[in-house]
Structure formats: C-alpha cells, structure tokens
Amino acid sequence: MSTDPVSAETPVCSAKGCRAAAVWVLAWNNPKLHTPERRKTWLACEEHREHLSAFLGVRGFLKDVVTLSDWESPEPGEGRGSAADG
C-alpha cells in the first residue's frame, strides 16, 4: 500500500524533483516561438509557485497564474487549453 499522497491521476508540480500535488497553473508563452494566443502551462504547488512564476516572469513569458480548479472549470464562454498542454 502506497503512502504517497499524489495518485496517478493527481497533477503534480512542474518544479524539478517535486512530487507535490499541483495547486496553481502558470500559463506562459515564448513570443519568439509561439503565436500570441498560444498558452503553454506549468503546474505548481504552493511552495514552488513564486519560484516558477519568477523564472517565467524575468523572461517575459508569464501570462497568467490561476488556481488549478479555476483553470479546469473556466467561466461559460471562456475557452482554455488543457492543463496538460505543457
């Protein structure tokens, strides 16, 4: 029996070596590679949200930071990509 709190279906943080459950979606794009409307995603736990946001922010890539639950349940009429689009 596994004691790992993160199951196979639970999205995990994108920080290197982190296996914590993701709480945040960091939407980004690289304007040299992607069209303006394209959004790639990284997932972040509470501990790594600021670090990953800063990493993307200093490069001018960060476009949006939202909770995973908000990302998965967009308001009616709003189209969002999958959180697994990263």
Side-chain angles (χ1 to χ4, degrees), residues 16-37:
K16 186 175 181 177
C18 185
R19 300 296 303 156
V23 179
W24 298 95
V25 175
L26 286 64
W28 63 277
N29 83 10
N30 179 338
K32 292 181 181 178
L33 302 176
H34 306 123
T35 59
E37 65 279 354

Side-chain angles (χ1 to χ4, degrees), residues 24-30 37-43 53 56-57 60-66 71 80-81:
W24 298 95
V25 175
L26 286 64
W28 63 277
N29 83 10
N30 179 338
E37 65 279 354
R38 174 76 191 269
R39 293 295 180 266
K40 304 280 286 175
T41 56
W42 281 357
L43 302 177
S53 294
L56 293 168
F61 294 176
L62 187 62
K63 303 300 178 193
D64 201 8
V65 178
V66 297
W71 185 265
R80 290 223 195 246

